[in-house]
Amino acid sequence: MKKHGYLFLAMFSSLMLAACAEQKSEEKEVITTTADQSDWSYEESTGPEHWGELHPSNLACVNGSEQSPINVEFPEVKADGNLKGNEIHYEPTPYTLENNGHTIQANATTESNHIIIEDNEYKLSQFHFHTPSEHQFNGQNYDMELHLVHSDKDGKLAVIGLMIQEGNENKQFASMWDELPTDKMAKGNSEKHIIDLQALLPENETTFQYAGSLTTPPCTEEVQWIVFEQPIEMSKAQIEAFQQIFPDNHRPVQPINEREINKSGE
Ligand SMILES: [Zn+2]
């Protein structure tokens, strides 16, 4: 009887080991898949010059004609008197925070933030950061750029871009910056935090608007861009804290081609 008991124990534990091994290989597979989706970067052979070669779905990165970001040359901007300012409806917003390997991204956990462009409603889904800025004004980059990404009911995207320059500490970002997830693919534990997005916007409502794309693979076009002319501020320490995690995560400016940039909200 005792012998059988040992035999059973031996069989049972080898079964458990097999089960563990299987689980391990599944975990491995998940990690591989994630790595494949994020194998683009901002440097060398997987950097912006090569995004188009990395995956067939990235073709717009090389073949697109309306790519972002762009350099906004102020003398070439059209002041469109008919273009009314966009309605931005932001409020204090709870979010979760993640380091997705390319940027720090805050995912809004409510759908209450929205903007209206030409009577179409776009809801805020997430916002994230680049350094240095992706858009240029008259050939100059800012220290950082914030992108607030919205989508409408058909999945069409509208992104608000805010330039960030060194200055006073930005209090709206204080609690987020207290727990920036430094490790790639790490989730922050920030469900308890709330950011006041309305208070974040610059006083001057002048914006540049143009038709562009995602600035990361797959560089999908038909993205409505709204870039505020007035920058917001962050302290040197806040900017450096981000740059310690991502020293450079910006795509260089792309050709404007036939596009017009309109100015509104003055
Ligand atoms: Zn972005």
Side-chain angles (χ1 to χ4, degrees):
M1 188 66 200
K2 218 175 179 185
K3 233 179 192 173
H4 280 116
Y6 282 128
L7 189 63
F8 176 77
L9 198 67
M11 278 173 69
F12 181 73
S13 44
S14 67
L15 267 174
M16 284 296 288
L17 277 175
C20 283
E22 199 168 309
Q23 205 178 351
K24 268 226 173 99
S25 78
E26 259 172 38
E27 271 167 21
K28 224 180 195 170
E29 217 164 293
V30 171
I31 289 164
T32 316
T33 314
T34 315
D36 282 345
Q37 285 163 344
S38 58
D39 64 0
W40 57 272
S41 77
Y42 289 97
E43 54 189 4
E44 295 167 11
S45 60
T46 53
E49 306 304 316
H50 300 280
W51 287 349
E53 308 151 20
L54 297 174
H55 197 273
S57 64
N58 295 353
L59 266 184
C61 301
V62 273
N63 292 344
S65 58
E66 299 196 333
Q67 290 289 293
S68 294
I70 56 168
N71 171 31
V72 179
E73 282 291 337
F74 286 8
E76 283 162 31
V77 170
K78 261 184 65 180
D80 188 340
N82 295 322
L83 198 69
K84 58 175 189 178
N86 300 291
E87 291 177 44
I88 299 177
H89 302 275
Y90 283 167
E91 55 185 52
T93 305
Y95 60 87
T96 60
L97 204 54
E98 66 176 309
N99 176 333
N100 64 17
H102 307 296
T103 188
I104 303 290
Q105 182 171 310
N107 301 300
T109 56
T110 58
E111 289 200 331
S112 48
N113 295 291
H114 61 278
I115 57 177
I116 313 257
I117 307 170
E118 288 167 3
D119 297 327
N120 199 15
E121 184 185 85
Y122 297 77
K123 288 178 173 166
L124 176 78
S125 53
Q126 50 102 338
F127 56 95
H128 61 264
F129 304 85
H130 299 272
T131 189
S133 70
E134 297 206 298
H135 287 89
Q136 292 179 333
F137 290 167
N138 302 317
Q140 299 294 311
N141 289 86
Y142 282 84
D143 296 311
M144 289 181 64
E145 186 171 338
L146 165 63
H147 288 160
L148 297 128
V149 183
H150 312 71
S151 61
D152 75 358
K153 58 180 190 322
D154 301 318
K156 286 192 85 173
L157 298 175
V159 184
I160 290 183
L162 295 179
M163 298 297 156
I164 301 172
Q165 71 180 10
E166 191 185 309
N168 292 324
E169 186 198 10
N170 195 313
K171 298 234 165 22
Q172 306 308 325
F173 289 123
S175 64
M176 182 183 289
W177 250 241
D178 277 345
E179 58 168 297
L180 285 181
T182 51
D183 293 338
K184 289 196 172 154
M185 317 314 278
K187 306 254 183 232
N189 173 29
S190 58
E191 303 229 28
K192 58 187 184 295
H193 287 312
I194 286 179
I195 186 166
D196 188 348
L197 293 175
Q198 190 72 39
L200 192 68
L201 297 174
E203 251 168 65
N204 188 321
E205 292 176 3
T206 304
T207 59
F208 303 114
Q209 306 187 26
Y210 76 97
S213 74
L214 297 178
T215 66
T216 56
C219 308
T220 315
E221 296 190 337
E222 291 185 66
V223 174
Q224 178 62 49
W225 275 92
I226 300 164
V227 182
F228 276 76
E229 178 178 8
Q230 186 184 7
I232 60 171
E233 292 186 355
M234 270 192 195
S235 67
K236 189 170 197 262
Q238 285 178 313
I239 292 168
E240 284 177 353
F242 183 88
Q243 289 173 338
Q244 268 189 1
I245 308 171
F246 296 102
D248 182 343
N249 66 340
H250 89 293
R251 184 190 197 194
V253 291
Q254 305 294 306
I256 292 191
N257 297 326
E258 310 302 315
R259 287 176 286 178
E260 273 181 357
I261 308 168
N262 290 302
K263 189 174 185 175
S264 82
E266 261 182 318

